Amino acid sequence: MADWMDQIPEHAAKFVEDHRLNEVECIISDLSGIARGKAMPASKFATQKQFYLPNSIFFQTITGGWGEAAGEEGFTEPDMVLTPDMSTASAAPWTGDWTLQVIHDAALKTGEPVPFAPRNVLKRVVELYNARGWSPIVAPEMEFYLVARNTDPGKEILPMVGRSGRPAAARQAYSISAVDEFGPVIDDIYDFAEAQGLEIDGITQEGGAGQLEINLRHGDPVKLADEVFFFKRLIREAALRHDCFATFMAKPIETEPGSAMHIHHSVVSTETGKNIFSGENDEETDAFMHFIGGLQRYVPAATPLFAPYVNSFRRYVKDNAAPINLEWARDNRTTAIRVPVSDPQARRVENRLPGMDCNPYLGIAASLACGYLGMVEGSTPKDEFKGDAYDAEEEIPRGIYAAFDGFAAATSLREALGEEFCKVYEIVKLTEYEEFLQVISPWEREHLLLNV
């Protein structure tokens, strides 16, 4: 065991210091961002260099159904080879025993990366940048709700009750008192994050009742996607300790704003280490404008990765803290593409389209792919928008089918992400939507039962 323990990060080693490590969770993200894998005794993990799981985990829908995505060989569920990335070894501090979790990479038996594994899709896009001498940098923001326990899907979701004994109040954005209402949950989030070696840049109250935002420091896209993947799990576990739920649904409460995963992007030269969005005289460069142009050109086609469920599209509502078009502007939160206030070294572009319900690997991969294509193709953005972008024409696809029509036609984007991944993703997500269409909603029973 000592050999692999020597490879784990310092924070993971510190967690198990002077304790007997009992278990290792070998995990991988499926298409929905759910952690799948197997748990095993630490002694067994120490004797194996790789593990096996069927490739069907990537064909599974959010409901537990299956998309017919196996290809010509049929649904034979061949094993993939899972190799641990020991740099991701992290505590699972909410467990009753001493447990580490390790993210794994998936490969075919031939050694090639499984093309539809989300972490591999992101690595593929990062490699496109690297091949041109660029290193992409991202900083995700995570919005989520703390809500009252809800064990009956037939009942509406309600805000959690805070320490005052009153339900969380809406429209208290940036209120410190509102954050204090959730103090015990946030304390556990901080403690879990510290045990896992995850750095929080800040926590704020957002505009919804019980809605919080956690900002992460900028860094390598794969590392940051791993962190969001870990954070979703630890936040849920922290909430459960305090008799509430944490939800990352894009629109959990119909009268409240939705939850986004805004992504900030910059690109540095691997040769000089300098931000290529800023020139020698600190001016905005062509690459900066082309990146924005790429987002405007390809984001509609990438929408299925930013808005993967029918609920996702409920977030794109006018005057409700979510974009409805593809306008860009400096320091303007009504636009889909925002250029935050920064010094030239930190010049960056924020994509405000992705929902918090997206798979972090796929959301970041798609956003980076759009910007990459813009820089490679020299895409020119529209003129900077002035004023309230909610007054401009809507440009976001308004539903799953419209979004996938655009995705199917975007040859360059599909090539960047990998055609085999795109085919599997289409099949699985459209299967989910077809399952949804079989459900009769309360709205239909209320308004159609006796009136039509």
Side-chain angles (χ1 to χ4, degrees):
M1 185 182 298
D3 291 342
W4 74 265
M5 286 292 288
D6 291 340
Q7 302 173 41
I8 67 176
E10 183 179 353
H11 59 80
K14 184 177 179 181
F15 173 72
V16 296
E17 188 177 21
D18 299 328
H19 295 89
R20 180 180 179 273
L21 179 62
N22 293 307
E23 189 174 71
V24 177
E25 296 176 341
C26 307
I27 59 176
I28 189 169
S29 167
D30 71 359
L31 290 188
S32 298
I34 296 172
R36 300 195 185 273
K38 58 178 68 175
M40 64 180 63
S43 57
K44 180 174 176 61
F45 181 84
T47 64
Q48 297 185 224
K49 293 184 178 180
Q50 58 192 29
F51 312 93
Y52 302 92
L53 279 180
N55 68 358
S56 57
I57 67 169
F58 297 119
F59 308 153
Q60 196 164 10
T61 67
I62 195 69
T63 66
W66 303 94
E68 297 294 332
E72 294 181 0
E73 71 276 11
F75 199 77
T76 60
E77 296 192 278
D79 274 337
M80 306 176 294
V81 181
L82 267 59
T83 305
D85 181 344
M86 297 311 301
S87 70
T88 70
S90 173
W94 49 82
T95 55
D97 53 16
W98 294 90
T99 301
L100 291 180
Q101 48 186 337
V102 182
I103 295 173
H104 285 55
D105 284 313
L108 304 172
K109 296 186 186 72
T110 59
E112 299 171 356
V114 173
F116 35 79
R119 200 169 191 250
N120 290 342
V121 174
L122 177 54
K123 285 185 175 184
R124 175 189 175 98
V125 174
V126 171
E127 287 169 2
L128 293 176
Y129 277 81
N130 295 162
R132 292 182 177 267
W134 301 331
S135 293
I137 305 295
V138 301
E141 300 173 357
M142 300 184 298
E143 296 177 348
F144 60 95
Y145 276 86
L146 295 176
V147 300
R149 291 180 68 93
N150 183 308
T151 58
D152 182 354
K155 293 183 178 179
E156 65 180 28
I157 297 171
L158 300 173
M160 72 167 284
V161 174
R163 64 175 187 166
S164 67
R166 303 177 66 182
R171 307 298 184 261
Q172 295 297 325
Y174 305 107
S175 166
I176 296 299
S177 295
V179 172
D180 289 342
E181 279 286 283
F182 318 120
V185 182
I186 291 174
D187 287 345
D188 276 349
I189 290 173
Y190 276 129
D191 289 345
F192 289 167
E194 182 178 2
Q196 292 188 245
L198 303 174
E199 186 173 358
I200 295 175
D201 206 35
I203 295 182
T204 58
Q205 164 74 26
E206 275 295 322
Q211 187 183 34
L212 298 174
E213 177 180 289
I214 292 180
N215 297 328
L216 304 183
R217 291 183 62 82
H218 63 273
D220 172 77
V222 177
K223 182 177 184 295
L224 267 297
D226 288 340
E227 291 190 7
V228 176
F229 179 55
F230 276 143
F231 258 112
K232 281 190 169 185
R233 190 177 185 198
L234 81 83
I235 292 168
R236 287 193 183 99
E237 292 291 342
L240 288 172
R241 282 195 169 191
H242 299 279
D243 200 35
C244 63
F245 289 168
T247 180
F248 302 95
M249 282 178 66
K251 187 79 168 181
I253 303 175
E254 62 186 48
T255 57
E256 301 293 341
S259 291
M261 188 184 75
H262 301 149
I263 306 171
H264 294 246
H265 315 71
S266 57
V267 182
V268 301
S269 165
T270 53
E271 181 179 354
T272 66
K274 293 183 178 180
N275 187 344
I276 69 171
F277 288 170
S278 296
E280 292 183 3
N281 298 315
D282 295 339
E283 75 280 7
E284 295 172 348
T285 62
D286 290 342
F288 175 73
M289 287 299 174
H290 294 329
F291 192 98
I292 295 172
L295 289 175
Q296 288 186 322
R297 180 174 182 180
Y298 287 103
V299 155
T303 299
L305 288 89
F306 302 141
Y309 308 103
V310 65
N311 178 262
S312 308
F313 290 87
R314 302 190 191 282
R315 179 177 147 254
Y316 301 131
V317 178
K318 184 177 181 179
D319 296 320
N320 223 332
I324 61 169
N325 51 47
L326 301 170
E327 303 295 346
W328 80 275
R330 297 172 179 84
D331 196 24
N332 184 339
R333 285 182 170 83
T334 68
T335 59
I337 303 164
R338 172 176 171 260
V339 178
V341 175
S342 68
D343 59 43
Q345 291 73 32
R347 181 169 281 126
R348 60 194 187 275
V349 179
E350 177 189 8
N351 180 0
R352 297 175 63 82
L353 264 296
M356 196 61 230
D357 56 345
C358 79
N359 181 311
Y361 298 102
L362 300 181
I364 293 172
S367 198
L368 285 173
C370 294
Y372 168 84
L373 292 171
M375 291 192 294
V376 170
E377 297 171 356
S379 300
T380 301
K382 297 190 289 185
D383 292 339
E384 179 181 3
F385 190 86
K386 303 295 183 181
D388 186 344
Y390 289 126
D391 294 334
E393 182 180 353
E394 293 190 23
E395 299 173 287
I396 307 300
R398 295 305 301 159
I400 295 287
Y401 287 143
F404 271 106
D405 283 346
F407 186 62
T411 304
S412 297
L413 179 65
R414 295 174 73 92
E415 184 177 345
L417 297 172
E419 179 61 27
E420 192 166 353
F421 157 73
C422 293
K423 289 179 179 177
V424 168
Y425 190 78
E426 282 175 322
I427 292 169
V428 172
K429 290 301 168 183
L430 289 174
T431 299
E432 285 178 353
Y433 188 57
E434 288 162 5
E435 291 176 4
F436 167 80
L437 291 177
Q438 304 305 311
V439 177
I440 308 302
S441 70
W443 186 95
E444 292 166 275
R445 289 192 289 270
E446 179 178 354
H447 297 291
L448 305 182
L449 182 66
L450 301 178
N451 292 332
V452 296

